[in-house]
């Protein structure tokens, strides 16, 4: 096989794995948008916050440590214990559920039936609030997150492909595990929504609020549930990204990458979020590989947005999105 | 056998009584005490008074019709009963006690199911799934229990599924069980909506114009279903309907509304001979 083709395949594979992460973040958006029509700008910051909280809990940090020390003149530096990763993940999930509950009871409950733009503005406020809260609770320094996921080149793939094609593919173990976890997560979500009564209630609310109320579904409960699930998805995305590039502010910017993914996949389609994520992931890596050298590189910064723009022009409802029909 | 073809007023209450608070209709159904009591209800939208100080009751086992010209406030009244609208004044009494202000989902959980004038179904879901949502109030297994004890949740699902299949058979919609509701014609959608409401095994069933927009044959089917539901399940029904023939055939008692006021209340025969009602509503056919 010619080298160029082998490189291209390797780039595609790596793109797929990057795409998985985009897909996860986009999935968080879609879940909330479907259930409540809210475009949750804070989804990316939720991933950052979840990852920060996870690191904080694992390392035994005292929440609001700095604030407490400044206010009371104390010298607290951590609890002095470490929490095992699995337990810390569970605790972080509890925090995310509490967050979901608080968002609904303190903010969204008062904005029912408001214009979408108002709800959107509220989530922008939420994003900045959560970012600040994360800083205050856990400090603003860059943290490393190690929940024990395998890292580094997968030697088996490297050797096998080397023996077969004379060129070893570089695939990171972390990417492989991330992909596997993402697949499991999506499968679990699908099973939940298809085969449990809460899942059915969730689909019902996504479909028609009035009808959902008439069969005894509490919209508030479902909204807390969706925000909790979105929090869980954010946590998973945060763990993967954090393990790869450290837990830092840039994590919240993957939300901006999720935007073009949503334009491709449609705001209301779960399969769309997944396929859209993969297309953007592969597309931007391949484009950089093939066209990047001709235009001086750095195409990854804008490729996704231009692709989304082209999509918007020709298929505004996205790949799988429901057709936009004006209600009259 | 009762049917839509029977003569007007035949289902009106008779005077046969078998106990203090039970009476038996001409066709042998038992009508019990007051199930729902609306007391001096007033509902305003800004300056518009949609309901003006109306009182009426619904008795156990009866079919109660609410009629009136367009904009009379009929749907508003149904929305008050089901908790979608909160009246500014008045009291709602259900099963002998005063109901505090409630969200629609809480009312539904009390055993009051409804359909909508403009059909509110889950368009993206299959007929079967739509009807299954009607069962949600009957499914008690919590979320944690479902996750930890999958078997129990599955058993509950199967039991409820069996009841849903019964209702689907009863309403003769087996052939469209798996069809996404969005693809169904109007008449069938109305029937699916009834199925979903019935799936809750409601104590009180509220139907907002169940036959609107249907052809004669569909109307006859729907009339038959409504009568059968009332007969076989003993479900109390309150319905809004414009077709006077249907109303006279189906209902035991009728409330007549006009411009938010109650202008008549009684058996179909009584209502038909009420001069206010004739003027406001039936007048057209008596000119
Ligand atoms: N949500 C609402 N907001 C404002 N006004 C409303 C609302 N719902 C009903 N109304 C007003 O209340 C009055 C009664 O309306 P309602 O829908 O109850 O009438 P109706 O008897 O059901 O009429 P129809 O036979 O046309 O269905 C109307 O003037 C209507 O405009
Ligand atoms: Mg109406």
């Amino acid at each position: 096989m010619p080298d160029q083709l082998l490189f291209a395949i390797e780039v595609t594979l790596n793109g797929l794995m990057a795409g998985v992460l985009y897909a996860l973040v986009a999935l968080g958006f879609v879940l909330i948008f479907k259930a409540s029509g809210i475009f949750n700008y804070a989804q990316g910051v939720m991933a950052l916050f979840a990852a920060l909280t996870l690191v904080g809990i694992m390392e035994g940090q005292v929440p609001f440590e700095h604030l407490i020390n400044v206010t009371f003149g104390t010298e607290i530096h951590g609890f002095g214990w470490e929490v095992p990763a699995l337990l810390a993940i569970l605790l972080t999930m509890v925090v995310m559920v509490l967050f979901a509950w608080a968002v609904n009871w303190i903010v969204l409950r008062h904005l029912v039936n408001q214009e979408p733009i108002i709800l959107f503005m509220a989530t922008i406020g939420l994003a900045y609030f959560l970012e600040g809260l994360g800083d205050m609770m856990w400090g603003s320094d860059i943290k490393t997150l190690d929940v024990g996921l395998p890292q580094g080149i997968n030697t088996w793939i490297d050797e096998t492909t080397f023996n077969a094609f004379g060129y070893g593919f570089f695939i990171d173990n972390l990417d492989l595990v991330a992909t596997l976890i993402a697949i499991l997560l999506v499968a679990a979500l699908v099973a939940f929504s298809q085969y449990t009564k809460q899942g059915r209630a969730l689909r019902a609310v996504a479909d028609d609020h009035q009808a959902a109320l008439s069969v005894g579904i509490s919209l508030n409960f479902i909204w807390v549930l969706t925000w909790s699930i979105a929090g869980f998805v954010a946590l998973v995305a945060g763990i993967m990204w954090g393990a790869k590039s450290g837990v830092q502010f840039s994590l919240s910017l993957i939300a901006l990458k999720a935007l073009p993914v949503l334009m491709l996949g449609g705001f209301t389609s779960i399969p769309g979020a997944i396929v859209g994520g993969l297309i953007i992931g592969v597309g931007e890596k391949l484009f950089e590989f093939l066209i990047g050298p001709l235009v001086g590189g750095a195409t990854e910064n804008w490729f996704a947005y231009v692709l989304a723009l082209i999509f918007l022009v020709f298929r505004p409802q996205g790949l799988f999105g429901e057709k936009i029909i004006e209600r009259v | 056998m009762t049917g839509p073809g029977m003569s007007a007023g035949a289902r009106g209450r008779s005077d046969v009584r078998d106990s203090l608070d039970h009476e038996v209709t001409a066709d042998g159904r038992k009508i019990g005490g007051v199930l729902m009591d609306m007391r001096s209800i007033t509902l305003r939208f800004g300056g518009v008074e949609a309901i003006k100080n109306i009182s009426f009751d619904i008795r156990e086992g009866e079919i109660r019709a609410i009629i009136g010209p367009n904009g009379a406030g009929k749907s508003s009244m149904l929305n008050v009963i089901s908790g979608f609208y909160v009246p500014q004044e008045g009291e709602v009494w259900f099963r002998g006690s005063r109901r505090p202000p409630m969200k629609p989902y809480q009312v539904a959980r009390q055993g009051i199911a409804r359909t909508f004038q403009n059909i509110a179904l889950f368009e993206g879901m299959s007929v079967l799934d739509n009807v299954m949502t009607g069962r949600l109030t009957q499914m008690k297994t919590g979320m944690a229990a479902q996750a930890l004890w999958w078997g129990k949740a599955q058993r509950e699902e199967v039991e409820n599924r069996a009841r849903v299949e019964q209702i689907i058979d009863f309403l003769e919609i087996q052939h469209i069980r798996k069809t996404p509701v969005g693809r169904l014609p109007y008449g069938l959608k109305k029937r699916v909506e009834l199925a979903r409401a019935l799936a809750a095994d409601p104590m009180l069933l509220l139907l907002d114009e169940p036959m609107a927009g249907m052809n004669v044959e569909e109307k006859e089917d729907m009339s038959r279903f409504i009568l059968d539901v009332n007969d076989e399940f003993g479900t109390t029904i309150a319905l809004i309907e414009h077709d006077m023939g249907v109303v006279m055939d189906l209902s035991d008692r009728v409330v007549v509304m006009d411009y938010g006021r109650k202008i008549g209340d009684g058996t179909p025969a009584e209502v038909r001979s009420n001069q206010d009602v004739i003027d406001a509503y039936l007048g057209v056919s008596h000119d």
Side-chain angles (χ1 to χ4, degrees), chain B residues 45 48 50 69-76 85 117 209 242:
Chain B
F45 295 106
V48 182
N70 286 342
K74 307 179 296 293
S75 295
S76 300
Y85 291 165
Q117 185 167 354
E209 304 201 15
H242 275 295

Side-chain angles (χ1 to χ4, degrees), chain A residues 106-175:
Chain A
I106 298 169
V107 185
L108 299 180
R109 197 162 56 105
H110 303 288
L111 298 178
V112 173
N113 293 332
Q114 294 286 345
E115 296 286 323
I117 187 72
I118 301 216
L119 292 163
F120 175 61
M121 294 305 282
T123 68
I124 292 184
L126 196 65
Y128 285 105
F129 170 79
L130 195 59
E131 199 188 307
L133 183 71
D135 272 2
M136 257 192 341
M137 277 177 84
W138 309 112
S140 53
D141 45 323
I142 298 175
K143 299 176 174 62
T144 52
L145 174 62
D146 182 13
V147 292
L149 295 177
Q151 302 234 19
I153 182 169
N154 184 299
T155 45
W156 183 82
I157 292 179
D158 187 32
E159 280 166 19
T160 313
T161 49
F162 183 81
N163 292 337
F165 314 116
Y167 172 77
F169 283 6
F170 185 100
I171 306 280
D172 197 315
N173 272 322
L174 184 64
D175 285 338

Side-chain angles (χ1 to χ4, degrees), chain A residues 197-198 200 203 207 211 216, chain B residues 109 124 129 139 141 146 157:
Chain A
K197 72 166 187 168
Q198 280 82 12
R200 192 179 289 119
R203 280 186 289 143
D207 203 314
Chain B
R109 290 177 186 184
D129 262 352
M139 299 172 80
T141 315
Q146 263 194 102
E157 180 87 8

